[in-house]
Amino acid sequence: MDIRFEQAEARFEGRTVVHPLTLSLSERRIGVIGLNGSGKTTFARMINGLVLPAAGKVTVNGFDTGKDGDKVRGQAGFIFQNPQNQIILPILKEDIALGLKSRKLSKAETEAAVEAVLARFGIAHLGERRAHELSGGELQLAALASVLVTRPDILIMDEPTNQLDLRNHSLVERTIHSLDENIIVISHDLSLIADFDRVLFFHEGRLAHDGPPAEVIARYRELAA
Amino acid sequence: MKTLYVEGDTFLHRLSPRTKLVGLAALSLFLFLIHSPTVLSVSATLGGIVYASLRLGWHQSWLRLRPILLTIAIVALFTLVLNGWHDALIVITRLTALALFAAAVTATTSTGDFIDEITRLAMPLERLGLVRAADIGLSIGLVIRFVPEILGRYQAIRDAHRARGLKVRPLTLTVPLIILTLKNADEIAAAIDARGVRAQK
Ligand SMILES: Nc1ncnc2c1ncn2[C@@H]1O[C@H](COP(=O)(O)OP(=O)(O)OP(=O)(O)O)[C@@H](O)[C@H]1O
Ligand SMILES: [Mg+2]
């Protein structure tokens, strides 16, 4: 994985939300923390080109998010803050298969890939279920399956353990820890990212601290106190 | 509302979605050209037999058919009052036949197959440069996916009004519903982009 920000800046309606940022990311597991509204989600959306830089540029594995959006999104999968809006088709299996459409696989190959990814996350029994009936934890796992079925190099997750009960929380946490993909996780849940390789701390749209988790989390606690 | 498909391996399940959709279209045309109560009654009975062959059980069948059968009953009642029993008989047999055959098709065609078929049928429009055929299929999938979600949200907003002792008026409910729905639409659009569903091949 190779993500580069070069003086990249994000603005909404003239207001700067992420100030010009230069940064390169290659660690396998990266956490992103910061107060509400500090720009974490916007930063993450800049990585996969859902938010394009108003100035500067962002590249992912060599692809420019502004010029090669589709290629970038093939490299970097994204799990949204509300996973229920990410399941697009009514039946889970069909939804997961949707991501594979552009690969032009045979029906049998598609089915095998879908079964495999469902089994990987222990949700084979949910394949025929309707998305609007799934619980929060099930939805989070379903969203993971729907994104990882296309085998992206990088997976970005926006508050994956938000609103989960204790059991689903530890289930999703264990699942995240077992992933062998490159991951970037935004979280208010500091224990989730405590053993990651690097943590970014955003404050008021700027990267306030950047380094090993223990150090950066300590700074965050100081600020919040 | 739920998707109406049921897993199974009956004759209708194995028939290609195209045959079923085209067959259903031809049949409905036929039913609207015919005015003989006898032929229409026979069609309705045949529809009943086809539907029964899916073996959904009385309870399931009643739950699925209840809304449409009630609608037909109301329409037939009005026809009876306004146009007399002959027309009412035609209306009731014609619509019942149509409803039963259509219900049998929806119960045996999965949403995925249905979307694929609609996409294929829309290909000529794509060649004319009017639309992207895949978008039409995707839109239908999105409607089936999100209508229950929007209804659920409507109930949540209604409950929130009740819980706070606010009067429940359709208009006061509609405004927050529209705002929530638009906000969700943005997120869903972002998800479609993020997952590369509409990516150019
Ligand atoms: N689409 C948008 N249009 C206008 N302003 C936006 C948009 N998205 C985000 N913002 C603003 O940008 C700022 C940063 O928002 P962002 O969602 O990136 O914060 P965050 O760190 O993810 O917060 P949270 O922890 O609450 O999720 C906020 O002030 C927000 O109001
Ligand atoms: Mg956020």
Side-chain angles (χ1 to χ4, degrees):
Chain A
M1 152 171 115
D2 174 24
I3 298 171
R4 285 172 208 216
F5 279 63
E6 288 168 32
Q7 288 295 310
E9 179 182 348
R11 278 186 225 139
F12 288 118
E13 289 127 29
R15 199 164 62 91
T16 300
V17 170
V18 173
H19 292 272
L21 178 65
T22 299
L23 165 95
S24 106
L25 303 172
S26 56
E27 291 75 8
R28 196 179 77 72
R29 296 191 299 173
I30 297 174
V32 181
I33 59 176
L35 301 177
N36 291 133
S38 55
K40 304 181 297 295
T41 297
T42 309
F43 166 73
R45 287 178 171 229
M46 289 174 85
I47 299 177
N48 77 340
L50 288 178
V51 172
L52 294 176
K57 74 174 189 174
V58 179
T59 60
V60 176
N61 293 344
F63 298 112
D64 188 314
T65 59
K67 291 181 199 130
D68 268 328
D70 287 341
K71 290 219 176 70
V72 166
R73 287 184 278 274
Q75 302 281 321
F78 200 104
I79 304 219
F80 292 81
Q81 224 159 332
N82 293 324
Q84 73 265 33
N85 285 338
Q86 162 159 8
I87 311 291
I88 300 168
L89 292 187
I91 307 284
L92 190 51
K93 268 187 172 170
E94 291 170 358
D95 181 77
I96 295 176
L98 187 65
L100 296 170
K101 272 259 161 78
S102 56
R103 307 270 160 107
K104 302 248 183 285
L105 302 177
S106 75
K107 205 166 175 175
E109 285 169 319
T110 303
E111 261 169 38
V114 171
E115 293 296 341
V117 80
L118 284 170
R120 176 177 172 198
F121 294 109
I123 49 171
H125 58 292
L126 299 180
E128 303 293 341
R129 290 277 293 280
R130 298 166 223 293
H132 69 101
E133 299 170 347
L134 301 182
S135 77
E138 290 170 342
L139 264 175
Q140 198 61 249
L141 297 180
L144 267 172
S146 74
V147 170
L148 290 184
V149 73
T150 61
R151 309 214 137 270
D153 179 42
I154 306 158
L155 176 67
I156 305 165
M157 281 174 271
D158 197 350
E159 303 192 24
T161 57
N162 203 9
Q163 296 188 355
L164 296 182
D165 67 22
L166 215 49
R167 176 185 291 164
N168 281 315
H169 185 287
S170 45
L171 175 64
V172 170
E173 187 171 45
R174 259 183 284 128
T175 309
I176 291 174
H177 284 143
S178 72
L179 294 175
D180 42 25
E181 280 85 0
N182 295 305
I183 54 177
I184 298 176
V185 180
I186 302 177
S187 190
H188 293 294
D189 173 8
L190 300 177
S191 65
L192 181 67
I193 53 154
D195 66 342
F196 277 22
D197 306 310
R198 178 175 175 186
V199 173
L200 311 176
F201 166 19
F202 278 86
H203 188 58
E204 295 176 350
R206 289 193 168 82
L207 183 60
H209 291 283
D210 175 2
E215 201 179 300
V216 178
I217 290 173
R219 292 299 175 87
Y220 179 50
R221 289 194 196 278
E222 277 166 33
L223 178 109
Chain B
M1 193 183 98
K2 298 185 168 168
T3 56
L4 296 170
Y5 176 67
V6 249
E7 282 280 312
D9 191 27
T10 66
F11 171 69
L12 271 178
H13 280 91
R14 287 190 300 266
L15 219 54
S16 86
R18 168 166 310 181
T19 315
K20 282 184 280 192
L21 285 178
V22 171
L24 187 62
L27 184 76
S28 36
L29 199 64
F30 166 78
L31 288 173
F32 276 89
L33 293 175
I34 294 294
H35 292 276
S36 143
T38 326
V39 177
L40 289 172
S41 305
V42 171
S43 309
T45 314
L46 279 176
I49 293 172
V50 169
Y51 194 80
S53 75
L54 303 177
R55 301 188 183 283
L56 297 179
W58 287 107
H59 184 67
Q60 258 294 320
S61 305
W62 170 238
L63 283 183
R64 287 162 163 264
L65 294 172
R66 186 172 53 184
I68 181 79
L69 291 184
L70 281 179
T71 315
I72 294 175
I74 292 167
V75 173
L77 199 68
F78 272 103
T79 318
L80 181 65
V81 173
L82 299 174
N83 297 340
W85 66 268
H86 182 78
D87 281 8
L89 186 64
I90 291 181
V91 162
I92 207 164
T93 46
R94 174 185 287 156
L95 294 182
T96 306
L98 195 56
L100 288 169
F101 279 110
V105 169
T106 40
T108 55
T109 313
S110 75
T111 335
D113 286 346
F114 187 67
I115 291 171
D116 287 346
E117 200 47 52
I118 296 286
T119 307
R120 242 168 272 144
L121 291 172
M123 280 314 275
L125 294 178
E126 176 162 317
R127 265 177 236 119
L128 291 175
L130 293 175
V131 284
R132 282 177 60 175
D135 286 354
I136 295 186
L138 184 62
S139 321
I140 292 172
L142 284 169
V143 170
I144 301 172
R145 162 74 181 89
F146 285 100
V147 163
E149 207 103 1
I150 293 171
L151 291 179
R153 217 164 287 137
Y154 179 84
Q155 278 156 10
I157 296 171
R158 195 189 53 197
D159 291 349
H161 274 72
R162 285 207 183 118
R164 294 168 57 189
L166 300 172
K167 228 195 179 123
V168 177
R169 286 207 201 89
L171 190 65
T172 49
L173 293 190
T174 313
V175 173
L177 183 68
I178 290 176
I179 293 172
L180 268 179
T181 305
L182 288 178
K183 193 169 173 303
N184 274 277
D186 272 349
E187 288 186 15
I188 294 161
I192 290 173
D193 279 345
R195 290 181 55 193
V197 171
R198 287 189 75 231
Q200 313 287 343
K201 276 133 225 171

